[in-house]
Amino acid sequence: MSKSSPFPAAHPDCIPYSLWKSVNCLNPDILLNPLAPLVPFGYHPPALKWANGVVLDKPGKAASFRIIGLLKIISKILERIMTYILLNITGARNLIHPNQCGSLQALSTFGAYISLAHKVRTRQRPRLRVSSLFLDIKAGFNNINAATLRTSLLEMHTTYYMVDWISSLMWDRTCTLVFQGSPNTAALVSVGTPQGSPIFPLLLLLYVAPLHMSIPRGVMLSYVDDFSRTVPSSSHRVIIRPL
């Protein structure tokens, strides 16, 4: 909670971090006692699964908008705690490919760049040609399918209560679009992840981990939803086929 801004944007529950910080200083158990018993059962309360989607105009673009999702603060606190638990599970069970970067401690954009540059220069030493193909998963966060993610997590032998809790977190979510003249009607969100959640960057890494493949003499690196595939060969013409 110390990393959180005391004055965030208006959230659905209208309770800022500053108030929860004061509560936590007086008695930390007040926050954890109501929520902790639900986690072993893989249950995320429905009252914490609705959000406001603030609709903003994109400057200079006619009839073009972007949506900023605002979640309940108490839900974000719980999700941050679960993120640390899931990080320990992924580390202990090697659920994330070693060539994945981003949304992980000490694995930043700079780290991904240095790793790719090292791989390229190492393969250039035997006087080979080296080419990289860069790919982006379009709207990665918005297209995560809860059922597919659950299947992947079970295949990775992730702890059952964590898989159930993640499924409960993602299913039956609702969002109310907020703009001038809006009817303030909640709509069911059947796919994708809510903006601003501390755990969903990590869930996206687990979701795309199966896309990593072994490349003979080559390497595949990724940064969240951006992938690079690097292949060496005697000529650029020959490289085209494996890329």
Side-chain angles (χ1 to χ4, degrees):
M1 294 185 62
S2 61
K3 299 179 181 179
S4 306
S5 170
F7 306 107
H11 289 72
D13 51 9
C14 300
I15 302 176
Y17 272 115
S18 55
L19 180 58
W20 285 119
K21 287 181 179 182
S22 300
V23 171
N24 188 64
C25 290
L26 293 173
N27 186 354
D29 294 335
I30 293 177
L31 270 174
L32 297 179
N33 282 347
L35 299 174
L38 303 177
V39 172
F41 293 99
Y43 183 76
H44 191 69
L48 302 184
K49 292 195 287 185
W50 59 272
N52 286 342
V54 180
V55 183
L56 302 177
D57 292 323
K58 286 187 177 180
K61 294 184 178 181
S64 184
F65 308 92
R66 63 179 301 188
I67 299 175
I68 304 298
L70 301 178
L71 310 176
K72 289 189 174 183
I73 295 295
I74 190 170
S75 181
K76 294 177 70 172
I77 293 172
L78 173 61
E79 291 164 33
R80 187 173 296 278
I81 295 172
M82 298 301 288
T83 301
Y84 287 117
I85 297 174
L86 184 58
L87 276 171
N88 290 331
I89 294 174
T90 56
R93 303 194 178 188
N94 298 318
L95 302 184
I96 293 178
H97 196 280
N99 288 345
Q100 285 184 275
C101 300
S103 302
L104 296 170
Q105 189 174 8
L107 292 173
S108 62
T109 311
F110 183 74
Y113 161 73
I114 290 296
S115 181
L116 178 59
H118 172 72
K119 300 291 185 183
V120 170
R121 289 167 183 165
T122 300
R123 285 156 177 75
Q124 284 177 330
R125 286 174 184 169
R127 297 184 179 179
L128 294 174
R129 308 287 185 180
V130 181
S131 292
S132 293
L133 178 67
F134 294 91
L135 307 168
D136 170 66
I137 300 176
K138 185 176 181 181
F141 287 98
N142 295 333
N143 288 302
I144 292 180
N145 182 281
T148 303
L149 177 61
R150 178 181 177 84
T151 301
S152 296
L153 292 174
L154 289 174
E155 290 176 350
M156 295 175 182
H157 304 290
T158 310
T159 309
Y160 281 108
Y161 83 85
M162 179 62 75
V163 176
D164 289 340
W165 182 85
I166 291 171
S167 297
S168 178
L169 174 70
M170 295 188 65
W171 286 336
D172 298 325
R173 298 195 67 91
T174 58
C175 181
T176 301
L177 296 182
V178 180
F179 57 94
Q180 187 174 3
S182 63
N184 291 327
T185 302
L188 184 66
V189 180
S190 58
V191 71
T193 60
Q195 276 183 325
S197 172
I199 197 170
F200 280 108
L202 178 57
L203 293 183
L204 179 62
L205 291 185
L206 293 170
Y207 192 69
V208 302
L211 296 179
H212 275 266
M213 61 185 71
S214 177
I215 305 173
R217 298 171 58 194
V219 64
M220 176 175 278
L221 298 170
S222 70
Y223 182 85
V224 191
D225 57 353
D226 296 303
F227 283 74
S228 70
R229 181 169 182 171
T230 301
V231 177
S233 185
S234 57
S235 70
H236 290 300
R237 184 179 297 274
V238 177
I239 288 176
I240 293 175
R241 183 178 296 276
L243 285 181

